[in-house]
Amino acid sequence: MPDWSYRTVFRPVLFRLPPALARDVALGCMGTLARLPWGPAVIDFMGHMRPDRRLAHAVGDTTFPTRVGLGACVDPQLQASRAFAQFGIAFWEIGPVTLQGIPGGPIYRDAAKETLQFTAPMENPGLTAVIERLDRAPQVPPFVWLELHANDADQESLEKIIQRLGTRPAGFILQVANPANAVDRIERLAQYARTCGPQILLVAVTAQASAEVVNAMVLLTQRQVINGVYVDGSTIDGDGSRHVGPAAGMSQSIQTLHAVQMWRAALPGGATIIVEGGIHEPRQALELIDAGSDFVSISSGLIFTGPGLIKRINEALLHRLPIPQEDRLPPEDLSWFWTCLMAVGMLIGGMLAMIIATTRVVMPYDETMAGLTRNEICAINPQLIHFMAHDRVTLAGTMLAVGILYLALSVYGSRQGMHWARRTMIVSASTGFVSFFLFLGFGYFDPFHAFVTAVLFQLLIMAVHCGLPRYHNPVTPELTNDGAWLRAQWGQLLFVIHGAVLIVAGGVIAAVGISTVFVQEDLEFMQTSAELLFGAHPRLVPLIAHDRATFGGMLIACGSCVLLSALWGFRRGHGWLWWALMTAGITAYGATILIHWHVGYLSPSHLFPAYAGLGWLVVSGILSYGHLCGGWYPSRNNSPPQRVADRSNCL
């Protein structure tokens, strides 16, 4: 559920359901998808959320991939742990774990305040189920919550839980009613946990911790009994109900922020702090990390803001990483150079095809291959040349659109180290090259098309072989859920649908081109029948079919580029992507509509997809403009990217 689908479609639907049912439906679907053989790849494809390796953060002997974790209340039954592993999380929390499972109380959702209320007791599946699900879970470090009470039986139960869990967790979070009065029990449990393997031990404290609690935790940390604290920014009612999210307003958030600052100043150097503070925007996470927290834990923010919140925080953290002076080198990995040449080749080919299609239409090699002169083709049907011109201009417009997209992705994407941009071009170009073979089934060989394909394919091979520079985003990422960001979720959804529709349309056109060749509107325009055209000359239909099959393949390539750019490339300040998508779309649709009007092919049903696509494009652009094109604030790290690939410059 990327944000563009969650905020626009799934969240409104899920919020109409009772909270517990909505959670079970969402997690059940995510978990089922992740368990399928291709499920994790689909999740990664849709969200592209894996964190950059530079975000890794080590605590003791454990290295976490980033500094954003998942709160325990999001998935208490561990239904979707495989799916969440693809979300770019550093760790996930479990519990409080008990020997026997606890069903938990009702859940209440306040959409206006963006708050969840969990009634006591907290839900968990029980120790046996936790162990089974941890053994099947991906290698994302878990933190296990343990609830420590005063009686000896409870202490023995916790020791049994720790012993059976072994080294599976990265650490334990001890939840104690009053930590200052439980120092001996915390120390005893910590000593036992150490015997089961190296563990990170934290004690959960509230944002309103007393001086007595602070002194006790500082002493335990100095004596290396515990590794630090977990600052819990939620609020607890007298009946044990827990409010997660900004339930108490701004004052609670400020109190949590001040609590983190206080703990960082009080604890000895190297102590670990994790904070759960109702984080619903990247800005809030950055503030808590700046205050001294090692990690932030996301819970209610995932439900109210969207699953992309984790990715947005990771991108904001990556943006702030300083670039060492020795890394400020011009890019020497020239994958972008070869894709740029490929884009220029597409543009030149598109312009040549446009000139030919609007002048003589049929080239001499077409006449040679078909065994028909231009005049003989006109004699078969006066509208046939106009029909071929409309096919070829539409193809040329699509080639120009693809060239525009490749050029932007090369210069502004791949050249800046954006791996998604290169991957988009590789996938898109590969589908275009495969389409070259579609029309060979009719026995027609286009030497010009074959030459262009061979040249561009070599450029693609060079682009795949070369490396990418390290990515450094020069634009401050979106840190708030403002109106421009919310509108852009709709714009991104429309662009994703647009790309998918282009792929389907290209597949249909290619299928028609290698089978029946003509649709009913074509025959009505030419005032003829398919039988007459097939019987007029054995090489006539293959000549027409090769244009149709090529156009279908090029439309698939264009749709793939639009789809993947929309899925992976929507970032605040990426105005170049907005201009590329809009320029490419207007070029292709403009050429299509104008040639239809020029030749008189005005069938409403035939032209409707072009008009609808152009309108869809305009609406998508309007919704996305504020987010993609607004707020261009270069950072202090605006400098050439670092070269990191091992390969030569390939030039």
Side-chain angles (χ1 to χ4, degrees):
M1 295 184 191
D3 285 346
W4 55 264
S5 62
Y6 181 77
R7 296 287 309 201
T8 57
V9 178
F10 294 116
R11 175 180 145 149
V13 172
L14 291 172
F15 274 34
R16 291 181 178 273
L17 302 176
L21 177 60
R23 181 192 66 185
D24 292 341
V25 168
L27 296 179
C29 293
M30 292 167 58
T32 301
L33 175 61
R35 286 190 293 271
L36 296 175
W38 40 265
V42 171
I43 296 172
D44 191 48
F45 170 81
M46 296 295 288
H48 221 56
M49 295 185 286
R50 294 181 182 273
D52 191 283
R53 293 181 180 179
R54 287 169 285 174
L55 293 177
H57 189 75
V59 175
D61 296 330
T62 304
T63 299
F64 297 88
T66 179
R67 303 176 72 170
V68 186
L70 187 70
C73 63
V74 175
D75 186 13
Q77 294 292 334
L78 313 185
Q79 300 178 68
S81 55
R82 289 180 178 270
F84 284 124
Q86 307 295 119
F87 279 40
I89 59 174
F91 58 85
W92 45 302
E93 301 172 18
I94 308 170
V97 175
T98 55
L99 290 174
Q100 304 299 324
I102 298 176
I107 304 172
Y108 300 98
R109 178 182 59 226
D110 189 332
K113 295 182 178 180
E114 295 192 344
T115 304
L116 297 172
Q117 179 183 350
F118 298 89
T119 54
M122 293 297 292
E123 179 180 357
N124 86 90
L127 177 61
T128 301
V130 167
I131 292 174
E132 292 175 354
R133 293 167 193 177
L134 279 178
D135 289 339
R136 297 196 304 265
Q139 297 301 313
V140 175
F143 275 95
V144 174
W145 282 74
L146 299 175
E147 197 167 8
L148 182 61
H149 298 290
N151 56 73
D152 292 337
D154 176 70
Q155 189 90 11
E156 294 175 1
S157 297
L158 294 183
E159 291 177 358
K160 184 176 182 180
I161 292 172
I162 293 172
Q163 187 271 330
R164 289 188 59 187
L165 285 172
T167 59
R168 294 179 181 89
F172 295 98
I173 302 170
L174 304 182
Q175 184 175 356
V176 191
N178 187 350
N181 295 334
V183 171
D184 293 339
R185 285 179 284 122
I186 292 173
E187 185 168 0
R188 174 183 166 186
L189 197 64
Q191 290 174 347
Y192 183 81
R194 305 288 187 197
T195 64
C196 299
Q199 307 282 359
I200 301 171
L201 281 95
L202 307 174
V203 174
V205 295
T206 66
Q208 305 88 12
S210 64
E212 186 181 13
V213 171
V214 173
N215 293 333
M217 295 304 102
V218 169
L219 180 62
L220 288 176
T221 306
Q222 289 173 338
R223 294 171 52 201
Q224 299 183 352
V225 175
I226 62 175
N227 299 91
V229 296
Y230 183 103
V231 181
D232 189 355
S234 62
T235 57
I236 308 295
D237 290 342
D239 60 358
S241 297
R242 184 184 180 201
H243 297 266
V244 181
M250 184 61 69
S251 60
Q252 179 69 18
S253 301
I254 294 175
Q255 193 171 39
T256 303
L257 186 65
H258 289 168
V260 172
Q261 293 172 334
M262 179 272 297
W263 281 108
R264 177 52 66 199
L267 292 173
T272 301
I273 300 176
I274 301 178
V275 59
E276 199 292 315
I279 298 167
H280 289 199
E281 294 180 340
R283 171 186 58 82
Q284 297 166 333
L286 296 184
E287 289 174 349
L288 290 169
I289 290 174
D290 288 342
S293 179
D294 292 280
F295 302 95
V296 292
S297 181
I298 307 298
S299 51
S300 58
L302 203 73
I303 287 85
F304 290 102
T305 298
L309 177 61
I310 296 171
K311 177 182 178 180
R312 293 168 64 199
I313 295 173
N314 285 334
E315 289 178 345
L317 291 171
L318 181 63
H319 172 75
R320 301 189 337 159
L321 290 180
I323 306 175
Q325 186 62 37
E326 61 270 18
D327 291 347
R328 298 175 182 267
L329 302 174
E332 298 180 14
D333 298 286
L334 296 178
S335 177
W336 72 271
F337 175 79
W338 299 110
T339 54
C340 190
L341 287 184
M342 187 169 64
V344 172
M346 291 292 298
L347 290 172
I348 294 174
M351 287 186 286
L352 289 175
M354 183 70 72
I355 293 170
I356 294 168
T358 54
T359 53
R360 63 174 287 125
V361 182
V362 180
M363 293 293 289
Y365 65 78
D366 289 325
E367 295 177 335
T368 301
M369 293 295 295
L372 289 167
T373 66
R374 188 178 190 279
N375 292 334
E376 288 172 336
I377 293 174
C378 291
I380 293 173
N381 188 296
Q383 292 289 76
L384 200 50
I385 286 293
H386 296 305
F387 177 76
M388 293 179 64
H390 116 277
D391 264 359
R392 293 193 166 189
V393 168
T394 305
L395 169 61
T398 307
M399 290 178 64
L400 291 173
V402 173
I404 291 169
L405 290 171
Y406 286 2
L407 187 62
L409 290 170
S410 298
V411 175
Y412 296 101
S414 183
R415 184 169 182 263
Q416 304 302 322
M418 300 178 193
H419 66 282
W420 68 265
R422 184 176 74 157
R423 184 176 299 181
T424 295
M425 289 183 284
I426 291 173
V427 172
S428 172
S430 299
T431 60
F433 290 131
V434 169
S435 70
F436 172 76
F437 300 97
L438 290 176
F439 56 83
L440 296 182
F442 277 95
Y444 186 88
F445 181 78
D446 183 339
F448 176 73
H449 189 179
F451 172 75
V452 172
T453 300
V455 172
L456 295 182
F457 185 71
Q458 294 180 64
L459 299 177
L460 177 64
I461 294 299
M462 295 299 293
V464 172
H465 174 67
C466 291
L468 280 177
R470 176 170 286 180
Y471 174 58
H472 294 289
N473 184 11
V475 181
T476 305
E478 185 63 65
L479 301 180
T480 61
N481 305 332
D482 61 7
W485 178 80
L486 292 171
R487 288 189 297 273
Q489 305 312 305
W490 283 99
Q492 188 175 4
L493 173 65
L494 296 185
F495 271 120
V496 168
I497 294 174
H498 193 180
V501 169
L502 289 178
I503 293 173
V504 173
V508 171
I509 292 172
V512 170
I514 61 176
S515 57
T516 60
V517 183
F518 304 103
V519 295
Q520 186 60 36
E521 291 88 349
D522 299 335
L523 300 173
E524 291 174 358
F525 168 69
M526 292 183 287
Q527 298 181 354
T528 186
S529 65
E531 291 76 13
L532 287 175
L533 293 174
F534 273 92
H537 191 279
R539 309 300 300 165
L540 174 63
V541 171
L543 174 62
I544 299 171
H546 114 277
D547 286 336
R548 299 230 126 169
T550 304
F551 172 54
M554 192 57 60
L555 200 58
I556 294 174
C558 185
S560 301
C561 195
V562 172
L563 174 64
L564 298 182
S565 296
L567 282 175
W568 301 337
F570 260 57
R571 301 289 190 282
R572 178 177 180 267
H574 279 194
W576 61 267
L577 179 61
W578 187 90
W579 283 105
L581 289 169
M582 298 303 293
T583 304
I586 291 173
T587 299
Y589 285 121
T592 300
I593 293 171
L594 289 175
I595 191 60
H596 278 79
W597 278 90
H598 179 72
V599 302
Y601 191 169
L602 302 177
S603 168
S605 59
H606 186 74
L607 272 175
F608 174 76
Y611 287 126
L614 180 59
W616 194 278
L617 175 73
V618 171
V619 174
S620 305
I622 291 172
L623 291 171
S624 306
Y625 178 82
H627 181 64
L628 291 179
C629 297
W632 182 272
Y633 301 116
S635 74
R636 62 184 183 277
N637 294 332
N638 189 6
S639 59
Q642 172 196 2
R643 181 175 62 86
V644 294
D646 295 329
R647 302 184 181 94
S648 65
N649 61 20
C650 303
L651 186 58

